[in-house]
Amino acid sequence: MSQGFGMYGVGLLVDVEGDDEYSAGEMVQGAALFGQGILADLEGADKYKAKLYALGFGMTKGMGLIADAKGKDSYSVTGAYPSTYGTKGEWHAMSMGFALGFRIFAAAGIGIITDFEGDDTYTCGEFGLGGGYFYGLGIVHDRGGNDKYAASRYGLATSAHMGLGCVMDDKGDDAYFGRSVANQAGVWDLGIVALIDGAGNDMYTGTGLCQGSATITSFAALVDAGGDDVFKATKSNVQGWGGHKQDADRGTHSFGFLLNFGGSDKYLINDEPAPDRGEDDVFVHTGKHKDKVTGYGILWDTKKKYR
């Protein structure tokens, strides 16, 4: 509960200049519960490292914020608490522009990271990097630089159980790497998520339920506004996918979108050209389960030749 932590009040840490290193445990570095927690760094190549509930994190009625004005920065929450799913080599995080609520009992707050410039690196475990859980809103906004993002299950513009998650990167040649499912605008159960990249030649690497994919009464969108981009995944429910068997049980629909504007782009599944993404500018997927429509997915690339 330090380095810009707020509970029933406001916790504020401001660093004006220098290359700084922030290292702490839990509920730290722009974290809040029934209050506001703010960490603002105005200049320098900085390193942020924590264990859990950190780096722009908001619990119930809390708003946590990290604002970094300039410099080549690194953000890391991993290696402390093992995966709650029992995944070997993965770590629990609940951090980095993330908001957490207690299901049934209490809604979440707001968690934000905003970085204004520099070539930055974001490394997160499970649940993090622009995500929300149970009425939480998580945002990561990087305004410039060639940035690298890596996260595990429920990471990189994601949500679960009535959550909202968003990652925005305004410009630069960026790389997004997801080590597990529900990643890169992948959403599960009554959520709304978006990953928006403004400009640059970008690389997206994921597994399943990623790159604009939505399940169980949800909405997901990955929007890339320009550049020569590569989208790689290893499963079929990716790159503009909507629907799940639970949508059929509920009588609901899910909607997933991958919208790509400009550039010469590639779409790969298991390192092979993605089926049905050839020369069409629009690929439409209709999710079905036992003859019931469960959702819709759309991949729209404005530079593809319409057939």
Side-chain angles (χ1 to χ4, degrees), residues 220-301:
L222 192 162
V223 181
D224 193 294
D228 300 334
D229 309 307
V230 178
F231 299 83
K232 299 174 66 176
T234 60
K235 299 183 184 297
S236 60
N237 56 339
V238 297
Q239 298 172 0
W241 175 281
H244 190 274
K245 63 181 182 180
Q246 290 190 39
D247 282 299
D249 296 337
R250 292 180 177 182
T252 59
H253 298 88
S254 294
F255 300 89
F257 296 88
L258 197 169
L259 310 178
N260 202 334
F261 300 91
S264 178
D265 309 304
K266 295 180 179 180
Y267 305 92
L268 304 173
I269 296 180
N270 291 318
D271 294 324
E272 296 291 335
D276 302 318
R277 272 72 154 184
E279 296 300 318
D280 290 349
D281 64 344
V282 177
F283 165 76
V284 180
H285 157 79
T286 302
K288 290 184 178 180
H289 179 71
K290 295 182 178 179
D291 297 325
K292 290 185 178 180
V293 174
T294 61
Y296 299 93
I298 294 177
L299 190 162
W300 177 28
D301 191 315

Coordinates of all heavy atoms in Angstrom, one line a residue, residues 220-301:
A220 N -16.2 -7.3 -29.0 CA -14.8 -7.1 -29.1 C -14.4 -6.5 -30.4 O -15.0 -6.8 -31.4 CB -14.0 -8.4 -28.9
A221 N -13.5 -5.5 -30.4 CA -13.0 -4.9 -31.6 C -11.5 -4.7 -31.5 O -11.0 -4.1 -30.6 CB -13.8 -3.6 -31.9
L222 N -10.8 -5.1 -32.6 CA -9.4 -4.7 -32.8 C -9.4 -3.8 -34.0 O -9.8 -4.3 -35.1 CB -8.5 -6.0 -33.0 CG -7.0 -5.7 -32.9 CD1 -6.3 -7.1 -32.7 CD2 -6.5 -5.1 -34.2
V223 N -8.9 -2.6 -33.9 CA -8.9 -1.7 -35.0 C -7.4 -1.2 -35.2 O -6.8 -0.7 -34.3 CB -9.7 -0.4 -34.7 CG1 -9.7 0.6 -35.8 CG2 -11.2 -0.8 -34.3
D224 N -6.9 -1.4 -36.4 CA -5.6 -1.0 -36.8 C -5.7 0.0 -37.9 O -6.2 -0.3 -39.0 CB -4.7 -2.2 -37.2 CG -3.2 -1.8 -37.3 OD1 -2.9 -1.0 -38.2 OD2 -2.4 -2.3 -36.5
A225 N -5.3 1.3 -37.7 CA -5.6 2.4 -38.6 C -4.6 2.5 -39.7 O -4.8 3.3 -40.6 CB -5.6 3.7 -37.8
G226 N -3.4 1.8 -39.7 CA -2.5 1.9 -40.8 C -1.2 1.1 -40.6 O -0.9 0.7 -39.5
G227 N -0.5 0.9 -41.7 CA 0.8 0.2 -41.6 C 0.7 -1.2 -42.2 O -0.4 -1.8 -42.5
D228 N 1.9 -1.8 -42.4 CA 2.0 -3.2 -42.9 C 2.0 -4.1 -41.6 O 3.0 -4.2 -40.9 CB 3.2 -3.4 -43.7 CG 3.3 -2.5 -44.9 OD1 2.2 -2.1 -45.4 OD2 4.4 -2.1 -45.4
D229 N 0.9 -4.8 -41.4 CA 0.7 -5.5 -40.2 C 0.7 -7.1 -40.4 O 0.3 -7.5 -41.5 CB -0.6 -5.1 -39.5 CG -0.6 -3.6 -39.4 OD1 0.3 -3.0 -38.8 OD2 -1.7 -3.0 -39.8
V230 N 1.1 -7.8 -39.3 CA 1.0 -9.2 -39.4 C 0.2 -9.7 -38.2 O 0.4 -9.3 -37.0 CB 2.4 -9.9 -39.3 CG1 2.3 -11.4 -39.3 CG2 3.2 -9.4 -40.5
F231 N -0.8 -10.6 -38.4 CA -1.7 -11.1 -37.4 C -1.4 -12.7 -37.4 O -1.7 -13.3 -38.4 CB -3.1 -10.8 -37.7 CG -3.5 -9.4 -37.7 CD1 -3.3 -8.6 -38.8 CD2 -4.0 -8.8 -36.5 CE1 -3.6 -7.3 -38.8 CE2 -4.3 -7.4 -36.6 CZ -4.1 -6.7 -37.7
K232 N -1.0 -13.2 -36.3 CA -0.7 -14.6 -36.1 C -1.4 -15.2 -35.0 O -1.5 -14.6 -33.9 CB 0.8 -14.8 -36.0 CG 1.7 -14.3 -37.1 CD 3.2 -14.5 -36.8 CE 3.6 -15.9 -36.6 NZ 5.1 -16.1 -36.4
A233 N -2.0 -16.4 -35.2 CA -2.7 -17.0 -34.1 C -2.6 -18.5 -34.3 O -2.1 -19.0 -35.3 CB -4.2 -16.6 -34.1
T234 N -3.0 -19.3 -33.3 CA -2.9 -20.8 -33.4 C -4.2 -21.5 -33.3 O -4.2 -22.8 -33.5 CB -2.0 -21.3 -32.3 OG1 -2.5 -21.0 -31.0 CG2 -0.6 -20.7 -32.4
K235 N -5.3 -20.9 -33.1 CA -6.6 -21.5 -33.0 C -7.6 -20.9 -34.0 O -7.2 -19.9 -34.7 CB -7.1 -21.5 -31.6 CG -6.2 -22.2 -30.6 CD -6.8 -22.2 -29.2 CE -5.9 -22.8 -28.2 NZ -5.6 -24.2 -28.4
S236 N -8.8 -21.4 -34.1 CA -9.7 -21.0 -35.1 C -10.6 -19.8 -34.7 O -11.1 -19.1 -35.5 CB -10.6 -22.2 -35.6 OG -11.3 -22.7 -34.4
N237 N -10.8 -19.7 -33.4 CA -11.7 -18.6 -32.9 C -11.0 -17.3 -32.7 O -10.9 -16.8 -31.6 CB -12.4 -19.1 -31.6 CG -11.4 -19.4 -30.5 OD1 -10.3 -19.7 -30.8 ND2 -11.9 -19.4 -29.3
V238 N -10.5 -16.8 -33.8 CA -9.6 -15.6 -33.8 C -9.9 -14.7 -35.0 O -10.7 -15.1 -35.9 CB -8.1 -16.0 -33.8 CG1 -7.8 -16.8 -32.6 CG2 -7.8 -16.8 -35.1
Q239 N -9.3 -13.5 -35.0 CA -9.3 -12.6 -36.1 C -10.7 -12.3 -36.6 O -11.1 -12.5 -37.8 CB -8.4 -13.1 -37.2 CG -7.0 -13.3 -36.8 CD -6.1 -14.0 -37.8 OE1 -6.6 -14.5 -38.8 NE2 -4.8 -14.2 -37.5
G240 N -11.6 -11.8 -35.7 CA -13.0 -11.5 -36.1 C -13.8 -12.7 -35.9 O -14.2 -13.4 -36.9
W241 N -14.2 -13.0 -34.7 CA -14.9 -14.2 -34.3 C -16.0 -13.8 -33.3 O -15.7 -13.1 -32.3 CB -14.0 -15.2 -33.8 CG -14.6 -16.5 -33.3 CD1 -15.3 -16.7 -32.1 CD2 -14.7 -17.7 -34.0 NE1 -15.8 -18.0 -32.0 CE2 -15.4 -18.6 -33.1 CE3 -14.3 -18.2 -35.2 CZ2 -15.7 -19.9 -33.5 CZ3 -14.6 -19.5 -35.6 CH2 -15.3 -20.4 -34.7
G242 N -17.2 -14.4 -33.4 CA -18.2 -14.2 -32.4 C -19.0 -15.4 -32.1 O -19.4 -16.1 -33.1
G243 N -19.3 -15.7 -30.9 CA -20.2 -16.8 -30.5 C -19.6 -17.8 -29.6 O -18.4 -18.0 -29.6
H244 N -20.5 -18.5 -28.9 CA -20.1 -19.6 -28.0 C -21.3 -20.4 -27.7 O -22.5 -19.9 -27.8 CB -19.6 -19.0 -26.7 CG -18.9 -19.9 -25.7 ND1 -19.6 -20.6 -24.8 CD2 -17.6 -20.3 -25.6 CE1 -18.8 -21.4 -24.1 NE2 -17.6 -21.2 -24.6
K245 N -21.1 -21.6 -27.3 CA -22.3 -22.5 -27.0 C -23.2 -21.9 -25.9 O -24.4 -22.2 -25.9 CB -21.9 -23.9 -26.7 CG -21.0 -24.1 -25.4 CD -20.6 -25.5 -25.2 CE -19.8 -25.7 -24.0 NZ -19.4 -27.1 -23.7
Q246 N -22.6 -21.2 -25.0 CA -23.4 -20.6 -23.9 C -24.2 -19.4 -24.5 O -25.3 -19.1 -23.9 CB -22.5 -20.1 -22.8 CG -21.8 -21.2 -22.0 CD -21.1 -20.7 -20.7 OE1 -21.6 -19.8 -20.1 NE2 -20.0 -21.3 -20.4
D247 N -23.8 -18.8 -25.6 CA -24.8 -17.9 -26.3 C -26.0 -18.6 -26.7 O -27.1 -18.1 -26.6 CB -24.1 -17.2 -27.5 CG -23.1 -16.1 -27.1 OD1 -23.6 -15.1 -26.5 OD2 -21.9 -16.2 -27.4
A248 N -25.9 -19.8 -27.2 CA -27.0 -20.6 -27.6 C -27.9 -20.9 -26.4 O -29.1 -20.9 -26.5 CB -26.6 -21.9 -28.3
D249 N -27.3 -21.3 -25.3 CA -28.1 -21.6 -24.1 C -28.8 -20.4 -23.6 O -29.9 -20.5 -23.1 CB -27.1 -22.1 -23.0 CG -26.5 -23.4 -23.4 OD1 -27.0 -24.1 -24.3 OD2 -25.4 -23.7 -22.9
R250 N -28.2 -19.2 -23.7 CA -28.8 -18.0 -23.2 C -29.8 -17.3 -24.2 O -30.6 -16.5 -23.9 CB -27.7 -16.9 -22.9 CG -26.8 -17.3 -21.7 CD -25.8 -16.2 -21.5 NE -25.0 -16.4 -20.3 CZ -24.0 -15.5 -19.9 NH1 -23.8 -14.4 -20.6 NH2 -23.3 -15.8 -18.8
G251 N -29.6 -17.7 -25.5 CA -30.4 -17.1 -26.5 C -29.9 -15.7 -26.8 O -30.6 -14.8 -27.2
T252 N -28.5 -15.5 -26.7 CA -27.9 -14.2 -27.0 C -26.9 -14.4 -28.1 O -26.7 -15.5 -28.7 CB -27.2 -13.7 -25.7 OG1 -26.2 -14.7 -25.4 CG2 -28.1 -13.6 -24.6
H253 N -26.3 -13.3 -28.5 CA -25.3 -13.2 -29.5 C -24.0 -12.5 -29.1 O -24.1 -11.6 -28.2 CB -25.8 -12.6 -30.8 CG -27.0 -13.3 -31.4 ND1 -28.3 -13.0 -31.1 CD2 -27.0 -14.3 -32.4 CE1 -29.1 -13.8 -31.7 NE2 -28.3 -14.6 -32.6
S254 N -22.9 -12.8 -29.6 CA -21.6 -12.1 -29.4 C -21.1 -11.6 -30.7 O -21.3 -12.2 -31.8 CB -20.6 -13.0 -28.8 OG -21.0 -13.4 -27.5
F255 N -20.4 -10.4 -30.7 CA -19.9 -9.8 -31.9 C -18.4 -9.5 -31.8 O -18.0 -8.8 -30.8 CB -20.7 -8.5 -32.1 CG -22.2 -8.7 -32.3 CD1 -23.0 -8.7 -31.2 CD2 -22.7 -8.9 -33.5 CE1 -24.4 -8.9 -31.3 CE2 -24.1 -9.1 -33.7 CZ -24.9 -9.1 -32.6
G256 N -17.6 -10.0 -32.7 CA -16.2 -9.7 -32.8 C -15.8 -9.1 -34.1 O -16.2 -9.6 -35.2
F257 N -14.9 -8.1 -34.0 CA -14.5 -7.3 -35.2 C -13.0 -7.2 -35.3 O -12.4 -6.8 -34.2 CB -15.2 -5.9 -35.3 CG -16.6 -5.9 -35.4 CD1 -17.4 -6.0 -34.2 CD2 -17.3 -5.9 -36.6 CE1 -18.8 -6.0 -34.3 CE2 -18.7 -5.9 -36.7 CZ -19.4 -6.0 -35.5
L258 N -12.4 -7.4 -36.4 CA -11.0 -7.0 -36.7 C -11.1 -6.0 -37.9 O -11.5 -6.5 -39.0 CB -10.2 -8.2 -37.0 CG -8.6 -7.9 -36.9 CD1 -7.9 -9.3 -37.0 CD2 -8.1 -7.0 -38.0
L259 N -10.9 -4.8 -37.7 CA -11.0 -3.8 -38.7 C -9.6 -3.2 -39.0 O -8.9 -2.6 -38.2 CB -11.9 -2.6 -38.3 CG -13.3 -3.1 -37.7 CD1 -14.1 -1.9 -37.3 CD2 -14.1 -3.9 -38.8
N260 N -9.1 -3.3 -40.3 CA -7.8 -3.0 -40.7 C -7.8 -2.0 -41.8 O -8.3 -2.3 -42.9 CB -7.0 -4.2 -41.1 CG -5.5 -4.0 -41.0 OD1 -5.0 -2.9 -41.0 ND2 -4.8 -5.1 -40.8
F261 N -7.3 -0.8 -41.6 CA -7.3 0.3 -42.6 C -5.9 0.6 -43.1 O -5.1 1.1 -42.4 CB -7.9 1.6 -41.9 CG -9.3 1.4 -41.4 CD1 -9.5 1.0 -40.1 CD2 -10.4 1.6 -42.2 CE1 -10.8 0.8 -39.6 CE2 -11.7 1.4 -41.7 CZ -11.9 1.0 -40.4
G262 N -5.7 0.2 -44.4 CA -4.4 0.6 -45.0 C -3.3 -0.4 -44.8 O -3.3 -1.2 -43.8
G263 N -2.3 -0.4 -45.7 CA -1.2 -1.2 -45.5 C -1.3 -2.6 -46.2 O -2.4 -3.0 -46.7
S264 N -0.2 -3.3 -46.3 CA -0.1 -4.6 -46.8 C 0.0 -5.6 -45.7 O 1.0 -5.7 -45.0 CB 1.1 -4.8 -47.8 OG 1.1 -6.1 -48.3
D265 N -1.1 -6.4 -45.4 CA -1.2 -7.1 -44.2 C -1.3 -8.6 -44.4 O -1.7 -9.1 -45.5 CB -2.5 -6.7 -43.5 CG -2.6 -5.2 -43.3 OD1 -1.6 -4.6 -42.8 OD2 -3.5 -4.6 -43.8
K266 N -0.9 -9.4 -43.4 CA -0.9 -10.8 -43.5 C -1.7 -11.4 -42.3 O -1.6 -10.9 -41.2 CB 0.5 -11.4 -43.4 CG 1.4 -11.1 -44.6 CD 2.7 -11.7 -44.5 CE 3.6 -11.4 -45.7 NZ 5.0 -12.0 -45.5
Y267 N -2.5 -12.4 -42.6 CA -3.3 -13.1 -41.5 C -2.9 -14.6 -41.5 O -3.1 -15.3 -42.6 CB -4.8 -13.0 -41.8 CG -5.2 -11.5 -41.9 CD1 -5.2 -10.9 -43.2 CD2 -5.5 -10.8 -40.8 CE1 -5.6 -9.5 -43.3 CE2 -5.9 -9.4 -40.9 CZ -5.9 -8.8 -42.2 OH -6.3 -7.5 -42.3
L268 N -2.3 -15.1 -40.4 CA -1.8 -16.4 -40.4 C -2.4 -17.2 -39.2 O -2.6 -16.6 -38.1 CB -0.3 -16.4 -40.2 CG 0.5 -15.6 -41.2 CD1 2.0 -15.5 -40.8 CD2 0.4 -16.3 -42.6
I269 N -2.7 -18.5 -39.4 CA -3.1 -19.4 -38.4 C -2.2 -20.6 -38.4 O -2.1 -21.2 -39.5 CB -4.6 -19.8 -38.5 CG1 -5.5 -18.5 -38.3 CG2 -5.0 -20.8 -37.5 CD1 -7.0 -18.8 -38.5
N270 N -1.5 -20.8 -37.4 CA -0.5 -21.9 -37.3 C 0.5 -21.7 -38.5 O 0.9 -22.6 -39.1 CB -1.1 -23.3 -37.4 CG -1.9 -23.6 -36.2 OD1 -1.5 -23.4 -35.1 ND2 -3.1 -24.2 -36.4
D271 N 0.9 -20.4 -38.6 CA 1.9 -20.0 -39.6 C 1.5 -20.3 -41.1 O 2.4 -20.2 -42.0 CB 3.3 -20.7 -39.3 CG 3.9 -20.3 -38.0 OD1 3.8 -19.1 -37.7 OD2 4.5 -21.1 -37.3
E272 N 0.3 -20.6 -41.3 CA -0.2 -20.7 -42.6 C -1.3 -19.6 -42.9 O -1.9 -19.1 -42.0 CB -0.9 -22.1 -42.8 CG 0.0 -23.3 -42.7 CD 1.0 -23.4 -43.8 OE1 0.7 -22.9 -44.9 OE2 2.1 -24.0 -43.6
P273 N -1.4 -19.2 -44.2 CA -2.4 -18.2 -44.5 C -3.8 -18.6 -44.0 O -4.2 -19.7 -44.2 CB -2.4 -18.2 -46.0 CG -1.0 -18.6 -46.4 CD -0.6 -19.6 -45.4
A274 N -4.4 -17.7 -43.3 CA -5.7 -18.0 -42.7 C -6.7 -18.3 -43.7 O -6.9 -17.6 -44.7 CB -6.2 -16.8 -41.8
P275 N -7.5 -19.4 -43.6 CA -8.5 -19.8 -44.6 C -9.6 -18.7 -44.7 O -10.0 -18.1 -43.7 CB -9.1 -21.1 -44.0 CG -8.8 -21.1 -42.6 CD -7.5 -20.3 -42.4
D276 N -10.0 -18.6 -45.9 CA -11.1 -17.6 -46.3 C -10.8 -16.2 -46.1 O -11.6 -15.3 -46.1 CB -12.4 -18.0 -45.4 CG -12.9 -19.4 -45.6 OD1 -12.9 -19.8 -46.8 OD2 -13.2 -20.0 -44.6
R277 N -9.5 -15.9 -45.8 CA -9.1 -14.5 -45.7 C -8.4 -14.0 -46.9 O -7.7 -13.0 -46.9 CB -8.2 -14.3 -44.5 CG -8.8 -14.0 -43.1 CD -9.5 -15.2 -42.5 NE -9.6 -15.1 -41.1 CZ -10.1 -16.1 -40.3 NH1 -10.6 -17.2 -40.9 NH2 -10.2 -16.0 -39.0
G278 N -8.4 -14.7 -48.0 CA -7.6 -14.5 -49.2 C -7.7 -13.1 -49.8 O -7.2 -12.1 -49.3
E279 N -8.5 -13.0 -50.9 CA -8.6 -11.8 -51.7 C -9.8 -10.9 -51.3 O -9.9 -9.8 -51.8 CB -8.6 -12.0 -53.2 CG -7.3 -12.7 -53.7 CD -6.1 -11.8 -53.4 OE1 -6.2 -10.6 -53.6 OE2 -5.0 -12.4 -53.0
D280 N -10.6 -11.5 -50.4 CA -11.8 -10.7 -50.0 C -11.4 -9.6 -49.1 O -10.5 -9.7 -48.3 CB -12.8 -11.6 -49.3 CG -13.5 -12.6 -50.3 OD1 -13.3 -12.4 -51.5 OD2 -14.2 -13.5 -49.8
D281 N -12.1 -8.4 -49.2 CA -11.9 -7.3 -48.3 C -12.7 -7.5 -47.0 O -12.4 -7.0 -46.0 CB -12.2 -6.0 -48.9 CG -13.7 -5.8 -49.3 OD1 -14.4 -6.8 -49.3 OD2 -14.1 -4.7 -49.5
V282 N -13.8 -8.4 -47.1 CA -14.6 -8.6 -45.9 C -14.7 -10.2 -45.7 O -15.1 -10.9 -46.6 CB -16.0 -8.0 -46.0 CG1 -16.8 -8.4 -44.8 CG2 -15.9 -6.5 -46.1
F283 N -14.4 -10.6 -44.5 CA -14.6 -12.0 -44.1 C -15.6 -12.0 -43.0 O -15.4 -11.4 -42.0 CB -13.3 -12.7 -43.7 CG -13.5 -14.0 -43.0 CD1 -13.8 -15.1 -43.7 CD2 -13.4 -14.1 -41.6 CE1 -14.0 -16.3 -43.0 CE2 -13.5 -15.3 -40.9 CZ -13.9 -16.4 -41.6
V284 N -16.7 -12.8 -43.2 CA -17.8 -12.8 -42.2 C -17.9 -14.2 -41.6 O -18.0 -15.2 -42.4 CB -19.1 -12.4 -42.8 CG1 -20.2 -12.5 -41.7 CG2 -19.0 -11.0 -43.4
H285 N -17.8 -14.3 -40.3 CA -17.9 -15.6 -39.6 C -19.3 -15.6 -38.9 O -19.6 -14.6 -38.2 CB -16.8 -15.8 -38.6 CG -17.2 -16.8 -37.6 ND1 -17.2 -18.1 -37.7 CD2 -17.6 -16.6 -36.3 CE1 -17.5 -18.7 -36.6 NE2 -17.8 -17.8 -35.7
T286 N -20.0 -16.7 -39.0 CA -21.3 -16.8 -38.3 C -21.1 -18.0 -37.3 O -20.9 -19.1 -37.7 CB -22.5 -17.1 -39.2 OG1 -22.6 -16.0 -40.2 CG2 -23.8 -17.2 -38.4
G287 N -21.1 -17.6 -36.0 CA -21.0 -18.7 -35.0 C -22.3 -19.4 -34.8 O -23.4 -18.9 -34.8
K288 N -22.2 -20.8 -34.7 CA -23.4 -21.6 -34.6 C -23.1 -22.7 -33.6 O -22.0 -23.2 -33.4 CB -23.8 -22.2 -35.9 CG -24.4 -21.2 -36.9 CD -24.8 -21.9 -38.2 CE -25.5 -20.9 -39.1 NZ -25.9 -21.6 -40.4
H289 N -24.2 -23.1 -32.9 CA -24.1 -24.3 -32.0 C -25.5 -25.0 -32.0 O -26.5 -24.4 -31.7 CB -23.8 -23.9 -30.6 CG -23.7 -25.0 -29.6 ND1 -22.7 -26.0 -29.6 CD2 -24.6 -25.4 -28.6 CE1 -22.9 -26.8 -28.7 NE2 -24.0 -26.5 -28.1
K290 N -25.5 -26.2 -32.5 CA -26.7 -27.0 -32.6 C -27.7 -26.2 -33.4 O -28.9 -26.1 -33.0 CB -27.2 -27.4 -31.3 CG -26.3 -28.3 -30.5 CD -26.9 -28.7 -29.2 CE -26.0 -29.7 -28.4 NZ -26.6 -30.1 -27.1
D291 N -27.3 -25.7 -34.6 CA -28.1 -25.0 -35.5 C -28.7 -23.7 -35.0 O -29.5 -23.0 -35.6 CB -29.3 -25.9 -35.9 CG -28.9 -27.1 -36.7 OD1 -27.9 -27.0 -37.4 OD2 -29.5 -28.2 -36.5
K292 N -28.2 -23.2 -33.9 CA -28.5 -21.9 -33.4 C -27.4 -20.9 -33.7 O -26.2 -21.2 -33.4 CB -28.8 -21.9 -31.9 CG -30.1 -22.6 -31.5 CD -30.3 -22.5 -30.0 CE -31.6 -23.2 -29.6 NZ -31.8 -23.1 -28.1
V293 N -27.7 -19.7 -34.2 CA -26.7 -18.7 -34.4 C -26.3 -18.1 -33.0 O -27.1 -17.7 -32.2 CB -27.2 -17.6 -35.3 CG1 -26.2 -16.4 -35.4 CG2 -27.5 -18.1 -36.7
T294 N -25.0 -18.1 -32.7 CA -24.5 -17.7 -31.4 C -23.8 -16.3 -31.5 O -23.6 -15.7 -30.5 CB -23.5 -18.7 -30.8 OG1 -22.4 -18.9 -31.7 CG2 -24.2 -20.0 -30.6
G295 N -23.4 -15.9 -32.7 CA -22.7 -14.6 -32.9 C -22.2 -14.4 -34.3 O -22.3 -15.3 -35.2
Y296 N -21.5 -13.2 -34.4 CA -21.0 -12.9 -35.7 C -19.6 -12.3 -35.6 O -19.4 -11.6 -34.6 CB -21.9 -11.9 -36.4 CG -23.3 -12.4 -36.7 CD1 -24.3 -12.1 -35.8 CD2 -23.6 -13.1 -37.8 CE1 -25.6 -12.6 -36.0 CE2 -24.9 -13.6 -38.1 CZ -25.9 -13.3 -37.2 OH -27.2 -13.8 -37.4
G297 N -18.8 -12.6 -36.5 CA -17.4 -12.0 -36.5 C -17.1 -11.4 -37.9 O -17.5 -12.0 -38.9
I298 N -16.5 -10.3 -37.9 CA -16.1 -9.6 -39.2 C -14.7 -9.2 -39.2 O -14.2 -8.6 -38.3 CB -17.0 -8.4 -39.4 CG1 -18.5 -8.8 -39.6 CG2 -16.6 -7.6 -40.7 CD1 -19.4 -7.7 -39.8
L299 N -14.0 -9.6 -40.3 CA -12.6 -9.1 -40.6 C -12.8 -8.3 -41.8 O -13.1 -8.8 -42.9 CB -11.6 -10.3 -40.8 CG -10.1 -9.9 -40.9 CD1 -9.3 -11.1 -40.7 CD2 -9.8 -9.3 -42.2
W300 N -12.5 -7.0 -41.7 CA -12.6 -6.1 -42.8 C -11.2 -5.4 -43.0 O -10.8 -4.7 -42.2 CB -13.7 -5.0 -42.5 CG -13.8 -4.0 -43.6 CD1 -13.5 -4.2 -45.0 CD2 -14.3 -2.6 -43.5 NE1 -13.8 -3.0 -45.7 CE2 -14.2 -2.1 -44.8 CE3 -14.7 -1.9 -42.4 CZ2 -14.6 -0.7 -45.0 CZ3 -15.1 -0.6 -42.6 CH2 -15.0 0.0 -43.9
D301 N -10.6 -5.7 -44.2 CA -9.4 -5.1 -44.6 C -9.6 -4.2 -45.8 O -9.9 -4.7 -46.8 CB -8.3 -6.2 -44.9 CG -6.9 -5.7 -45.0 OD1 -6.8 -4.6 -45.7 OD2 -6.0 -6.3 -44.5

